[in-house]
Amino acid sequence: PPLPEAPPRDQGSRLFFGALNREQDWAPLMDGLNAEMRRDPDFWSCSVVHDRAFFETLELPSQRKSFVPTCSYEQYHQEMAQCDVAFLPLRDTPFNWMKSNLKAIEAGGHGLAVLASNVLYEKTLVNGETAALFADVADLQQHLKMWVENPDAARQLGRRTRQWVAENHLAAHQVAQREQWYRNLASRRAALNRALWERVPS
């Protein structure tokens, strides 16, 4: 998508968080996140999609945060496009390691700086190059403090992430490979189903 005009330097940064059933992932980080929000409430604002609990727990003045209930995919992207940073927290669980990096691709496509757990995202993103990855609350806070001191650093990171998306993750680059993959899966369907049953009978 086209990039919006760069905001004025004194406008601060807007954080995007949109997710389903992620409370167990973000809850351990909220004390640290809120400490940074309280430290610079005139710098940070936030757009939250779907997760009312996250919105209510976020300690920002009411005029500095907005909430959109579960919405269309188009509106989800509209909200994301108005932000500067995408917050993508994941706990270290087998389920989360099997997720895709789609949220990072979506955010990068809009030029957002990706602020993500190293869980899953370290497989494809490089800390300091295409994302700001964190292993714990201290790492998370360090990224936020750095961006308050130098907002352009987040914007530059977002531009590099957008370039990473453009070079590696456009659907146009993947059509032949994806078709081959689907045909391969279909040809092995019975064997794959048997193997799945053996691994996870439940």
Side-chain angles (χ1 to χ4, degrees), residues 13 18 31 66 70 122 145 156:
S13 287
D31 286 347
S66 63
T70 307
E122 69 178 13
K145 288 173 183 174
Q156 291 166 9

Side-chain angles (χ1 to χ4, degrees), residues 38-52:
R38 290 193 304 268
R39 189 191 311 274
D40 294 286
D42 294 329
F43 179 87
W44 293 108
S45 59
C46 187
S47 174
V48 181
V49 173
H50 174 77
D51 195 326
R52 188 78 196 188

Side-chain angles (χ1 to χ4, degrees), residues 126-148:
V126 178
N127 188 39
E129 293 295 324
T130 50
L133 300 180
F134 57 87
D136 53 30
V137 174
D139 287 349
L140 169 65
Q141 291 180 302
Q142 187 60 38
H143 290 308
L144 295 173
K145 288 173 183 174
M146 181 185 70
W147 290 339
V148 171

Side-chain angles (χ1 to χ4, degrees), residues 101-120:
N101 63 354
L102 176 60
K103 281 189 180 295
I105 294 170
E106 292 171 335
H110 287 289
L112 275 65
V114 172
L115 178 62
S117 300
N118 59 353
V119 172
L120 174 73

